Amino acid sequence: MRIRSLGVIDDAVVELSPGFTAVTGETGAGKTMVVTSLGLLLGGRADPALVRIGAKSAVVEGRISVGSRAPAAVRAEEAGAELDDGALLISRTLSAEGRSRAHVGGRSVPVGLLAELADDLVAVHGQTDQQGLLRPARQRQALDRYAGDAVAVPLAKYTAAHRRLRAVATELDELTTRARERSQEADLLRFGLEEIAAAEPQPGEDTELAAEAERLGHAEALASAATAAHAALAGNPEDPEGVDATTLVAGAHRALEAVRSHDQELATLAERLGEIGILMADVAGELASYADGLDADPLRLAAVEERRAALNHLTRKYGHGPGRDIAAVLTWSQESATRLADLDGDDDRIGELTAERDALRTELGELAQTLTDARTASAERFAGAVTAELAELAMPHARVTVEIRQTEVAEDADGIAVGGRTVAYGPAGADEVELLLAPHPGAPPRPIAKGASGGELSRVMLAVEVVFAGSDPVPTYLFDEVDAGVGGKAAVEVGRRLARLAKSAQVVVVTHLPQVAAFADRQLLVAKTNDGSVTRSGVTVLEGEERVRELSRMLAGQEDSETARAHAEELLETARTGSQA
């Protein structure tokens, strides 16, 4: 992590150990700026007063190693960020005017995204921080992981049943709340289908009737035209001397037939005239039949027009679409019949869904009881383990309990039966889980956020994290003031437990106790310098002799005291052997 122009820090690089990193330094040197910087990277509130005097802006940049499928990496990639060789690059810029900008993986993002990523990256425990584990939902999740398969197996079954119940309830709600609308729709469809069935329209009937109406409406003109055409082709019986086209063509054909053997071209023309004569005779015959068969009955015309009016009425009402013809009416009829069958089956479907809903609620109640029993058993073991840890952290009379409760609802409300009561439920069961702390005998158990002072809260959270180690997926823990009000043997135990937690996660601790710092895999010193006009703080990695000098200062305030140095070396050796134990 690189920090520039933040508070007393001008420009510093903070290299955190994969295991346990202790941040030390004199009061006022800027140790808090390390915590503040990490807070800014995690979406914390940006206070322009943090910008170093004389600077236009403060910048904090962090490189965080994450797995490619880790929740934080997936969420960052959804926002357009890119991983850099398995690491997520995050930066936060704070201007002196109060503007704040955030970047993740090379992409500008809302500051709120940093807070989303924080839940999966770092658990911060300090006197003013709102830690994730202080939220009841996170406490339930952590307890479930602590319980292992005893909770995981029934929880998986419960989750699947709950998902199905939500789907069933949604469909059932739609069917019942829209019952009136669906009934009205069914009545309209049923009326339309009955009207169409009564008319019995046939495919293409409207087109055929339109053609027949056109023919009947002009029957006299059509008959007169057909008779005149027939007379022109085949002659008029009332005028024997008249010349007709068939006779003339026949004469022309006979003239050519007489000489066709003398020229092939003329023979071809003779054949064509013969074909024309045959065709004209056929047309004349059809004209005669047409004229004889033409129906000029006005009663038939009236019947056709009446039928067309009935079909047009159907077309206007049900012939939706560009065609608006009988074909469209028949299509509507088919689709409506299918829809009506669905609507008429709603009552049966409502009965089926109601039965399935009730069965699922019964199943959820049984699974929820199994979850409650498993969580209760795990909670007792967990509370005992945390209480034992607190006894070693200078809180010998503190007692941690886990409250598992359900919210009772009215019998007619949306709830499930658990333990003879109707209770509210959610995707993870009916249990509300909350850690309670009684800091001393006679004190009533209260939620840990309210039952402990700042220093006590950090130690409680340390005890919780040590017990939860390996079950909580957060890879990094930051403790500020975890050693407040602690000294002597209890301080050594704080350091020992931080080292134990660091075996399964990255741990960063801001401390003033040498007993804690001695257990760290890496110790960082935040030191202040003053050239008379400007005060600056820098961060240094302490190794060998430098680390002994810093521990000596923390022990006795004297870096060169032989007694303090001997004590510091003894602390380092105790921490080394104690960490290996």
Side-chain angles (χ1 to χ4, degrees), residues 275-550:
E275 294 172 355
I276 291 172
I278 295 171
L279 181 60
M280 291 178 66
D282 290 342
V283 172
E286 291 181 10
L287 285 171
S289 298
Y290 176 83
D292 292 341
L294 192 61
D295 186 3
D297 184 1
L299 295 178
R300 174 57 185 168
L301 177 59
V304 168
E305 292 296 350
E306 183 179 356
R307 179 62 175 173
R308 291 186 67 201
L311 295 182
N312 286 335
H313 172 73
L314 296 180
T315 300
R316 286 193 302 272
K317 291 182 68 175
Y318 309 111
H320 305 299
R324 297 190 68 85
D325 53 14
I326 287 300
V329 172
L330 294 174
T331 298
W332 180 91
S333 177
Q334 294 173 352
E335 294 174 348
S336 297
T338 301
R339 174 62 175 164
L340 182 59
D342 292 340
L343 293 174
D344 287 341
D346 279 354
D347 289 341
D348 293 338
R349 182 60 178 158
I350 288 175
E352 294 172 0
L353 290 174
T354 301
E356 184 178 2
R357 180 200 61 189
D358 294 343
L360 285 169
R361 283 181 173 174
T362 299
E363 180 183 359
L364 284 180
E366 295 171 353
L367 290 171
Q369 184 63 62
T370 301
L371 287 173
T372 299
D373 294 342
R375 285 169 177 156
T376 300
S378 297
E380 292 176 357
R381 290 187 288 108
F382 165 75
V386 174
T387 299
E389 288 289 331
L390 290 177
E392 301 295 333
L393 295 175
M395 297 179 66
H397 304 296
R399 183 171 58 88
V400 169
T401 57
V402 180
E403 182 180 29
I404 299 177
R405 60 182 181 271
Q406 296 85 30
T407 299
E408 193 165 355
V409 297
E411 291 186 5
D412 58 348
D414 181 17
I416 57 176
V418 179
R421 299 179 302 147
T422 302
V423 300
Y425 64 100
D431 300 323
E432 299 172 25
V433 176
E434 190 165 29
L435 302 183
L436 305 178
L437 172 70
H440 50 79
R446 301 180 64 196
I448 54 176
K450 300 177 181 179
S453 64
E456 289 176 334
L457 180 59
S458 289
R459 275 177 280 163
V460 171
M461 298 314 296
L462 171 59
V464 169
E465 298 292 12
V466 168
V467 174
F468 272 145
S471 62
D472 198 315
V474 177
T476 299
Y477 299 93
L478 173 63
F479 290 93
D480 186 20
E481 301 293 339
V482 69
D483 48 19
V486 175
K489 180 180 178 181
V492 173
E493 291 302 323
V494 169
R496 194 188 312 279
R497 276 151 180 77
L498 288 168
R500 182 188 304 172
L501 180 60
K503 294 182 182 298
S504 60
Q506 183 183 40
V507 176
V508 182
V509 179
V510 177
T511 182
H512 68 276
L513 287 181
Q515 296 95 325
V516 172
F519 278 88
D521 299 303
R522 172 174 292 171
Q523 185 172 346
L524 304 180
L525 173 65
V526 182
K528 182 188 299 184
T529 59
N530 191 329
D531 60 7
S533 59
V534 179
T535 301
R536 294 184 174 88
S537 288
V539 181
T540 305
V541 179
L542 299 180
E543 301 284 355
E545 180 63 24
E546 292 179 339
R547 188 172 185 186
V548 173
R549 285 175 56 84
E550 172 61 10

Side-chain angles (χ1 to χ4, degrees), residues 173-259:
D173 182 64
E174 179 184 357
L175 290 176
T176 53
T177 57
R178 293 186 54 202
R180 182 176 179 181
E181 292 87 344
R182 296 168 79 90
S183 176
Q184 292 175 343
E185 181 185 357
D187 289 342
L188 290 174
L189 292 177
R190 191 174 290 107
F191 177 82
L193 290 171
E194 291 174 352
E195 190 174 16
I196 294 172
E200 296 183 347
Q202 302 300 314
E205 182 182 2
D206 51 343
T207 303
E208 295 174 1
L209 289 174
E212 185 178 0
E214 184 72 13
R215 186 168 61 253
L216 291 171
H218 300 83
E220 294 183 2
L222 293 174
S224 176
T227 300
H230 178 270
L233 289 175
N236 187 348
E238 298 178 359
D239 184 12
E241 300 297 329
V243 180
D244 58 81
T246 302
T247 301
L248 293 175
V249 171
H253 180 257
R254 287 193 299 272
L256 295 181
E257 279 290 317
V259 295

Side-chain angles (χ1 to χ4, degrees), residues 10-30:
D10 183 21
D11 192 343
V13 175
V14 180
E15 299 180 16
L16 304 177
S17 168
F20 178 6
T21 298
V23 181
T24 64
E26 293 184 355
T27 301

